Every structure is written in structure tokens, then in C-alpha cells.
Amino acid sequence: MTARSDPAPLPGWLVNQEGPGAAAATQPPGMEAGDDRVRRELARELHDQVVQELTSTLIDLENFKRQPYDERAVADQVNQVQSSLRRTLRELRQLLYDLRDEEAWQPSFMSLLRDFASRYDERTGVRISVAVDGDWPLSIRSAAAKQLERIIHEAVNNARLHGGARSVWVSLLAEADWARVTIVDDGRGLDPYYAEGPGLGIVGMRERALLLGGSVTVERARGQGTLVRIDFPRTALS
């Protein structure tokens, strides 16, 4: 008879223990924190990019249904929906690249903003003006560009969807030690609960600003509309 050999003991974090701590015991140290970081990043990206784009498309379609239209108008609307879906697909692909830490070429930050402003105006009729002040660099880190781009997109969508804005002004300012991005619209103004409450959009904006080492301020603009201001160290840009 062949003697039975017992298997080598498993590492402690792989042992499936009984009791309240069993779930935690099945993961290696640090894995839970890493998983939580990935989940939060996915939540931010999916909300700020995919959900916002699809929501805007649905609203555009709903508004289109209420208006008189002919064959040409239907064709134009179909083209707009197709363009929106293509953008969503590109954003999902970019999200996958980012999660894999793959480098993807993209134009300068200013080119991204101007392209976004042009497409948004064409699709929604909301005019976006972009201005650069101070010593804003021609090129910035892709990680910083992504966070700022997402915050700006969120602020512009909020201005249109929640404030009914028709014009939005985006300004970039960089000085010796700090930088600032300001978004002002001509909409109905700030909803205090939305600014201070648990709205996912505002939470995501604040989280992205923290990743830049900065903060977000949301308040009523002078006269009318809403002002969103992101302040962060200049070192985040380079």
C-alpha cells in the first residue's frame, strides 16, 4: 500500500475560513483596496462618459419626437445618433486602454476641448467658448488631461441638462505654483441640494480634483448661471 502524502499547506490568505471574516481571508493583502480603487474608477468613467452620452442622446430623441419633421430631418437625426454611438464606443475603448495602462495617442488638451466644443454645439446648440490665460502649457500629462476633460464634460452637461444653459465659458489659467479651470454658464443657476448633496456627478468631479491634488468649488455665478472652479497645483500638469 502506498503511503498517502498530505498536500502542502496553503497560504493563510487562501484558506477558506468559516465565520464573519471568511470573505476577507480569501483575498491577498491589499487586493481589496485595489479592487475598490478599480470599482471607483470604473464608476467615474462610466458615469462621466458613457452614461452622460447616452442620456443626452435619449433626451435629443425625445425632443425630436415632439417636433414636426420630414425625411431630411429624420436622416439628420439618425446621423446624430450614429455619431453619438460611435463616440460612446470610442470612449469605452479608451477606458479599456486606460485600465490596461496602454498608451494611446491623443491630440493636445486644447485640441480636445475645442473639438468637444464644436461637436457639442453642433449636436445640442449650446455654444462653448474656450479661453486660455496666464502661462498654461501647450502640452500636459495625459492623466491630468483625462481628469480635467471629464470634469469639464460633467459641468457642461449639468449646465445644459439641469440648468437649461445655452452658452458655457471655459477658461484655463496657470501661474507659477497653481492652476485653475473655470466653467461658467448662463443657465437657471445652482440647485443647492445638487451642489452639496450626494449627486454622483458632483462626487465624481470632487474625486477627480482630488486625484490632481486640488478641489472643486460649485456656486452661483454672478448674475445668473452656475460657476464650477477647479484649483490644483501646477505640478499636476507636467
Side-chain angles (χ1 to χ4, degrees):
M1 178 180 295
T2 303
R4 186 184 67 181
S5 58
D6 294 329
L10 294 172
W13 55 268
L14 283 177
V15 177
N16 187 13
Q17 301 176 357
E18 298 295 332
T26 61
Q27 294 185 347
M31 181 178 289
E32 185 176 354
D35 288 347
D36 184 63
R37 180 188 63 80
V38 172
R39 284 194 296 269
R40 293 172 72 86
E41 179 70 12
L42 278 171
R44 282 194 300 267
E45 295 298 324
L46 290 174
H47 174 269
D48 293 354
Q49 294 298 98
V50 178
V51 173
Q52 287 283 12
E53 185 71 38
L54 293 178
T55 300
S56 295
T57 300
L58 287 174
I59 291 174
D60 291 341
L61 287 173
E62 188 63 32
N63 292 335
F64 180 74
K65 285 164 53 180
R66 299 175 181 175
Q67 300 173 359
Y69 51 81
D70 54 21
E71 183 176 349
R72 176 64 182 177
V74 172
D76 290 342
Q77 186 64 34
V78 169
N79 288 334
Q80 288 187 18
V81 172
Q82 287 178 323
S83 297
S84 175
L85 293 176
R86 291 190 185 102
R87 283 193 299 272
T88 301
L89 183 58
R90 284 197 302 268
E91 289 157 359
L92 284 171
R93 285 172 175 163
Q94 183 63 52
L95 175 57
L96 292 175
Y97 289 142
D98 292 343
L99 288 173
R100 294 170 183 157
D101 289 328
E102 296 181 13
E103 290 294 331
W105 181 89
Q106 57 178 284
S108 71
F109 185 59
M110 288 304 304
S111 296
L112 282 175
L113 286 187
R114 292 191 173 112
D115 181 60
F116 166 70
S118 176
R119 288 188 288 103
Y120 204 87
D121 184 4
E122 179 181 353
R123 181 165 62 89
T124 68
V126 175
R127 180 176 177 81
I128 303 174
S129 301
V130 181
V132 182
D133 297 314
D135 189 27
W136 189 273
L138 293 176
S139 59
I140 65 176
R141 294 174 55 193
S142 59
K146 182 180 77 171
Q147 304 303 340
L148 291 173
E149 181 187 11
R150 301 294 196 264
I151 293 174
I152 292 170
H153 287 193
E154 178 71 24
V156 170
N157 278 319
N158 287 344
R160 175 194 169 217
L161 298 177
H162 301 293
R166 303 305 301 168
S167 297
V168 180
W169 296 267
V170 180
S171 66
L172 313 176
L173 173 65
E175 299 294 349
D177 299 321
W178 59 274
R180 171 177 291 173
V181 175
T182 306
I183 306 102
V184 182
D185 66 71
D186 65 350
R188 291 187 291 271
L190 179 73
D191 180 341
Y193 173 79
Y194 186 74
E196 299 299 332
L200 181 58
I202 298 296
V203 170
M205 291 166 66
R206 297 192 192 284
E207 289 177 345
R208 292 186 184 282
L210 285 173
L211 292 173
L212 295 171
S215 61
V216 169
T217 301
V218 183
E219 60 189 18
R220 284 190 179 276
R222 293 181 180 178
Q224 67 177 23
T226 300
L227 180 148
V228 178
R229 185 175 64 248
I230 309 103
D231 295 294
F232 55 95
R234 185 194 170 101
T235 52
L237 297 175
S238 58

